[in-house]
Structures are given as structure tokens and as C-alpha cells.
Amino acid sequence: MLLFSTWVLMAFLTLLSSPAGEELFEVRMQPEWPVVEAGKDLWINCSTNCTYPQAGGIETRNIKMNTQKEGTHWKLFHLSNFSENTNIFCYFMCSNIQKRKSVSVIIYRPPEQVTLSLQPSWVIVGKNFTLTCHVPNVVPLENLTLTLLQGTEKLYRQTFVTVSTALQDAWLTLNVTARREDSKSNFSCRAELDLRPYCEQLFSATSQPKMLEIFEPSWNNQMLIIIIITILLLLVFVISVCLCFAYGQHWRQHRTGGYGVLAAWRNYRNR
């Protein structure tokens, strides 16, 4: 019994002192879901629970490392020059065993400029007009939503399925049939970048409103136009008839006058 107890104690001490015990160490990174605005910088903390870590560091591409701070079980890295989504790896060596941990850095650019064009700015009832919304230099598109508004009413809402890692322009075009009640309406476009799958940030921007003018010819106006045109045509007709009559009378008098002089001359010669 004593021999068995001694063997168990020695096995336990051997396990604690062996490198195999260090195989249980872990590598951690903070933040676990890093989100950074394009062109901004980011702090990444790498740590381990290894008792005596031999070495540690960080690996990444196209990212500038500015400063580094460290303790026995952690290292803090200041990274900058983020222009697209990238992976960052952190590693530690413990008892000649290396373990790594990685995080994916999500790059975003909020919608800072939202413009809306309205063509044409005035339209006849029943005809179409076009709304075009433009948001330049935004990312990621798959987290962007564009909404066309008439006052506070939502006309159309569009999301994007394109997975983008670089800055892109977002467009939304909608053709609308003009209604009588649309006159003097203000139209606008709202852009929302929702990063809540990764963090608690929601960016929103709205364009300047555009007013639509509706032109609706009334029945009275149409009748007035028809009456005026009819009067003008009748006036032209009457003037034409009068001119023709006056010209005919003048031509007739001219012929009659010529024959009268000729008859008088013949009578004079016969005397």
C-alpha cells in the first residue's frame, strides 16, 4: 500500500514537471471581434496562461506596427494603416511548443455623404419621375441599407449582398409614377451602416430633401385653350374673307374703269 502511494505521488510530480503539462496553455486576443474605421489605428492585446512563456509576437500583412508594450504573460501592439479586412495572428512559445490565435479585423467607413437627385423636379400627373441615391466610399456594403423616403413614409428599402473588403460607392434608383397627392412632397434618402453583428455601432446619415412639383391641367383650362384657339381661327377666316372681297372689288373697279374710258374715246372720234 505504501509502495502504491509513493508511485502515485511520483507520477503526479512527474506530470507537473514535464513539458506535457504546458501543452494545456492557451493564447488569447483582445478584442475578439475588432472593428476599425478605414485609415484608423487599433490596439491588439495578446496574452497566455503559460507559466514561463519563451517567446511571443504578432503576425499580419500590410499593417504598420507602431509601438509595443509587454509583460510576462501579455503583449500589447499598436497597429495602423488599415485599408481592408485582414487577419491578425498572435503566437506564444511554451516549453518549445507554439500555439497561435487569430482574429479577423473588420474595416468600415460610415456613410458621411448622402446625395439624392430628383429628375425631373416637376412632372405631370401620371408621368414618371426618377429618384437616385448615391453614397460614396462606404464599406462594408453588406451591412449598408438605403431607404428612400417621402416625408417620413418609406418608399423603398434596399440592402446589398456583395461582400466587400474595400471602399465602394452605393447606388439606389427608383422610378415612381406621379400622383396628385405627391405635389409639394419632400423626398430624401437615408443610409444606415449597421455594425451590430460585430459591435454596438449604428451609423446613419440622410440627404438634403428634394421637393417635387406636380402639374395637373384642369378641364377648365383645357376648355379655355380650345375656345381661344377656335376664336383665333375664326378671326383669321373672317379677315381672309374680307381681304378676298376687298381685293375682288378693287380688281372689278379697275376693269370697269378701263372700259369706260375706251367707250368715251370711241364716241369722240365718231363725231
Side-chain angles (χ1 to χ4, degrees):
M1 184 68 179
L2 180 62
L3 180 62
F4 177 76
S5 300
T6 303
W7 180 84
V8 171
L9 179 61
M10 291 179 62
F12 179 71
L13 293 175
T14 301
L15 179 63
L16 290 179
S17 61
S18 65
E22 295 290 2
E23 292 183 3
L24 301 177
F25 80 95
E26 296 179 352
V27 177
R28 304 183 184 90
M29 297 182 71
Q30 290 292 334
E32 294 182 336
W33 302 96
V35 179
V36 59
E37 185 176 352
K40 303 296 184 179
D41 52 6
L42 175 68
W43 287 92
I44 291 290
N45 181 278
C46 298
S47 62
T48 180
N49 59 355
C50 175
T51 306
Y52 302 105
Q54 296 169 313
I58 199 170
E59 296 177 357
T60 186
R61 294 180 180 179
N62 302 323
I63 302 300
K64 182 179 179 181
M65 186 184 305
N66 297 322
T67 59
Q68 174 180 329
K69 299 179 181 180
E70 60 181 321
T72 305
H73 302 92
W74 59 271
K75 293 180 181 291
L76 186 62
F77 302 93
H78 184 219
L79 308 177
S80 62
N81 195 35
F82 287 94
S83 59
E84 61 181 5
N85 294 354
T86 186
N87 292 324
I88 298 178
F89 298 89
C90 175
Y91 68 90
F92 276 99
M93 293 283 296
C94 187
S95 299
N96 296 324
I97 299 174
Q98 184 187 78
K99 284 191 175 182
R100 304 205 316 171
K101 178 76 173 181
S102 67
V103 294
S104 297
V105 180
I106 305 298
I107 305 302
Y108 74 92
R109 173 67 62 83
E112 298 175 346
Q113 180 183 1
V114 183
T115 57
L116 177 70
S117 64
L118 173 62
Q119 294 293 334
S121 58
W122 68 272
V123 67
I124 298 176
V125 172
K127 300 297 183 180
N128 288 343
F129 62 95
T130 303
L131 298 168
T132 303
C133 181
H134 177 218
V135 182
N137 298 327
V138 64
V139 71
L141 281 184
E142 61 270 21
N143 295 89
L144 181 69
T145 301
L146 298 182
T147 306
L148 291 174
L149 302 170
Q150 181 177 359
T152 58
E153 178 186 356
K154 295 180 181 179
L155 284 180
Y156 188 78
R157 184 174 180 268
Q158 177 173 311
T159 57
F160 301 84
V161 296
T162 302
V163 177
S164 59
T165 60
L167 298 178
Q168 296 187 23
D169 288 6
W171 295 87
L172 170 58
T173 301
L174 181 67
N175 293 320
V176 184
T177 301
R179 303 171 301 174
R180 184 181 299 106
E181 55 268 27
D182 293 332
S183 183
K184 305 296 183 180
S185 292
N186 285 324
F187 294 87
S188 59
C189 179
R190 182 174 64 213
E192 294 178 321
L193 186 67
D194 190 358
L195 299 178
R196 285 178 292 187
Y198 313 107
C199 61
E200 294 299 324
Q201 289 183 301
L202 174 64
F203 299 94
S204 179
T206 305
S207 69
Q208 292 294 326
K210 298 286 186 178
M211 179 178 290
L212 179 67
E213 296 283 351
I214 299 294
F215 176 71
E216 182 183 8
S218 64
W219 176 253
N220 293 333
N221 291 338
Q222 292 179 353
M223 288 299 298
L224 180 61
I225 292 173
I226 293 174
I227 292 173
I228 292 175
I229 293 175
T230 303
I231 292 175
L232 290 176
L233 292 176
L234 289 175
L235 183 61
V236 170
F237 176 76
V238 171
I239 293 175
S240 300
V241 171
C242 292
L243 290 175
C244 290
F245 179 77
Y247 178 77
Q249 290 296 322
H250 176 74
W251 180 77
R252 182 178 180 183
Q253 290 178 1
H254 179 72
R255 291 188 61 188
T256 304
Y259 289 131
V261 171
L262 182 59
W265 173 250
R266 288 176 178 175
N267 293 330
Y268 176 75
R269 290 183 62 183
N270 292 332
R271 287 180 182 179

